[in-house]
Amino acid sequence: MSVPRPAGPGPTSAQLPVPGDSHRADRLRELDRRHVWHPYAALPPAMAPLLVDSAAGVRLRLADGRELVDGMSSWWAAVHGYRHPVLDAAVTDQLGRMAHVMFGGLTHEPAVRLAQTLVEITPPGLEHVFLCDSGSVSVEVAIKMGLQYQLGQGRPGRRKLATWRGGYHGDTFHPMSVCDPEGGMHHLWRGVLPAQVFVPAPPGDFAAAPDERYLAELVDAVARHADEIAAVIVEPVVQGTGGMRFHHPAYLRALREATAAHDVLLIFDEIATGFGRTGAFFAAEHAGVTPDVLCLGKALTGGYLTLAAALCTPEVAAGISAGGVLAHGPTFMGNPLACAVANASIGLLRAAVPTVGSRPVAAWQVAVRRIEAGLRDGLAPVATLPGVRDVRVLGAIGVVQLDRPVDLAAATAAAVDAGVWLRPFRDLIYTMPPYPADDDDIARIARAMAAAAVAVPR
Ligand code: PMP
């Protein structure tokens, strides 16, 4: 099929810039517009991306010289900000040994160390680590673990998954099948994706008393569907891309008991919530439960390189292995550069910070508490703005929900004018700042969120 080419200069007028080229930025923008597909975008994209030249600390430096405080941590990943000397050194040092080797038949210290550390820091009982390339792939692996586990138990009829509405687990096909069926873009795939079991979204409040009726509904749904589901998969405590909603940890405890009673696996997707973001190092800790499988990603490498992990218990591993091998093995599994920087990043988060008059506290905890207090202060006045439906803060996450969809161009421009990078979606303007963001940075982010809210036409 032939499609008309977008109008624009011919191939010779948009060449890659050479050193000293005064039109460098314009040329890059033009080439980007013509050739580069950006996330959740058409071609050419509705909104031109900003050209970033470099980033350091919590600031992005644009090609036009402007500096923006990063309110997004590069989609929850860059928890230490940018160009952290310890992380830079970890990558450089590992590069001097090897950038990559295949993981089939070979192993190496960065991966072994990382696996051992993850076992140590995740909820007790998770002992085996499958390293893979991205969050979506770790969800694929977790689902495969669930399905293979049930096959190994002689239950081939358990081929479905169950989840609650409002979730998000990635953009590859099986993860999409457990994303909210109405939200995002996944409605495009109705009839293509495997049909899963959905219960209503958890009532949205972290602190209010749990809803007894909903607790009973969860338990009942697991019991009713136990013969057809291999696993229940949820994001614990914070549903991220599905709507930035927080829920009470009691629902996770109910799921833990109900799934255990029927030997249905419980998968926690902590790709967004892991590494301190919600105020606990892992969101599962709010509930005090261990899932059978845990997915990690995003901040695992401090946002330096793509890496994810699916951890499981010895029971899951034994159940799968009794029937054969786990049928997965990505090319870049256990990439040494990514593992090395993940080890360094976790080391920084866990480093003890002496506090006056009390026991030392981990660095991540000091930072997240400070950011949480700053966001609560800074966003309180936003709740009274016209058109703001809700303001909520948990750990280092701040959310402003409007009563109408965000105009992405207007909201982004307002935030950029206020010196902050935000990426609103649906009716949500939200932030997950890098942990080194200081009080002034957080105050600036809150002001930019207010400006973005006001900029959305009513
Ligand atoms: N699960 C959750 C909870 C996520 O937030 C994301 C990414 N937004 C994913 C899975 C998918 O991760 P990735 O984009 O690395 O594939």
Side-chain angles (χ1 to χ4, degrees), residues 431-444:
T431 182
M432 313 87 47
Y435 297 167
D438 66 20
D439 292 350
D440 290 344
D441 298 324
I442 298 299
R444 187 197 284 207

Side-chain angles (χ1 to χ4, degrees), residues 329-355:
T331 306
F332 288 99
M333 182 167 178
N335 174 257
L337 286 174
C339 291
V341 74
N343 286 324
S345 172
I346 295 169
L348 285 175
L349 292 172
R350 296 173 80 205
V353 176
T355 52

Side-chain angles (χ1 to χ4, degrees), residues 109-129:
E109 183 167 345
V112 175
R113 269 188 195 284
L114 179 60
Q116 198 265 334
T117 303
L118 291 177
V119 167
E120 192 184 312
I121 64 177
T122 50
L126 295 163
E127 287 195 17
H128 308 290
V129 184

Side-chain angles (χ1 to χ4, degrees), residues 293-320:
V293 182
L294 175 71
C295 295
L296 302 175
K298 289 189 181 282
L300 175 58
T301 62
Y304 267 55
L305 286 159
T306 179
L307 183 72
L311 284 83
C312 73
T313 61
E315 292 74 25
V316 173
I320 292 168

